[in-house]
Amino acid sequence: MARDSAIPPESFEAILAWLNQDRDVAASMYLELREGLQRMFGWARCDDVEGLTDEVLDRVSKKVHTLRETYHGDPRAYFYAVARNVIKEQLKKVKTHASLDGIDPPAARVPEIAEETADMREECLQSCLGQLSPKNRDIILNYYAKEKQAKIDHRAALAERLDTSVETLRVRAFRIRQSLVMCIERCLDLKAQKK
């Protein structure tokens, strides 16, 4: 059951600012991040997907002001690392409860499932990247290639190389990313059906 998130407004604003300087892009990234965390908890067969997603966001919100200054790399990776810890905590809780009919609960396989899922996601990502046109593959890989100021400069150079504006490049990258996400989800569904 989902619970009300206790993220204070200033921490929520700090999370958005950490995700991206452009508020609209940051809001889009936040929604994608939420969906990604929910999928991760779903793949790990956690019962309270929305509640655990809120838990991750609450934990990060408590540290976001420090993290913005000290953390290097894609902020989304930090959220997913916190989510992995939450999954491990859930596994420990499940192990401390005995099943009524003497059978281990399905969530007892969380680490094994999480590792399998990570491998499947990587396979699907590579497969879906291979299905893109060379131009679109080049755009998406270059669009997400750098961090911080280098990322901004790199995207400006990429837009110039493609003879387009940064805004148009952002839209193209978003559309390519959306098609990749749909392709990966289809791929994961097919792999899950084969099991």
Side-chain angles (χ1 to χ4, degrees):
M1 172 198 256
R3 61 180 179 75
D4 291 331
S5 181
I7 301 175
E10 63 276 4
S11 293
F12 181 72
E13 291 298 325
I15 287 173
L16 290 180
W18 188 33
L19 288 172
N20 195 293
Q21 293 174 355
D22 182 321
R23 186 161 167 64
D24 291 335
V25 173
S28 176
M29 290 174 71
Y30 178 81
L31 292 175
E32 289 175 15
L33 176 65
R34 253 193 101 77
E35 290 173 8
L37 290 170
Q38 289 174 347
R39 278 195 303 270
M40 184 176 180
F41 288 122
W43 291 330
R45 301 184 194 234
C46 297
D47 290 331
D48 186 8
V49 170
E50 289 183 29
L52 294 175
T53 299
D54 287 341
E55 176 66 26
V56 170
L57 296 170
D58 288 348
R59 289 184 188 188
V60 175
S61 75
K62 291 175 184 171
K63 297 181 178 183
V64 71
H65 298 290
T66 306
L67 289 169
R68 287 181 64 192
E69 304 298 323
T70 59
Y71 184 80
H72 301 289
D74 186 346
R76 293 170 294 190
Y78 188 86
F79 285 89
Y80 287 112
V82 172
R84 281 192 294 277
N85 288 337
V86 169
I87 289 171
K88 288 177 186 176
E89 291 169 13
Q90 291 298 306
L91 174 63
K92 285 180 185 177
K93 286 180 185 177
V94 169
K95 283 185 176 181
T96 61
H97 293 35
S99 175
L100 293 176
D101 47 51
I103 298 173
D104 289 334
R109 296 182 25 200
V110 168
E112 178 184 314
I113 291 169
E115 287 176 22
E116 283 179 27
T117 301
D119 291 341
M120 287 188 331
R121 285 177 47 199
E122 180 64 28
E123 287 174 26
C124 288
L125 171 63
Q126 293 305 321
S127 171
C128 291
L129 280 171
Q131 293 175 30
L132 291 175
S133 70
K135 184 176 182 178
N136 283 348
R137 185 171 45 250
D138 180 57
I139 289 172
I140 200 71
L141 291 175
N142 278 299
Y143 190 78
Y144 290 103
K146 307 282 183 181
E147 296 296 326
K148 297 191 177 185
Q149 185 62 43
K151 173 175 68 176
I152 294 166
D153 297 339
H154 186 70
R155 287 179 179 176
L158 179 60
E160 187 175 318
R161 187 180 65 157
L162 294 170
D163 194 29
T164 190
S165 68
V166 174
E167 292 77 19
T168 302
L169 174 63
R170 184 178 298 133
V171 171
R172 285 178 72 182
F174 176 78
R175 288 179 179 155
I176 296 167
R177 181 186 169 113
Q178 289 301 99
S179 71
L180 268 177
V181 167
M182 291 189 320
C183 177
I184 291 168
E185 288 175 353
R186 280 193 306 269
C187 176
L188 288 170
D189 287 343
L190 287 172
K191 287 183 178 288
Q193 289 174 5
K194 289 180 182 177
K195 285 193 164 190

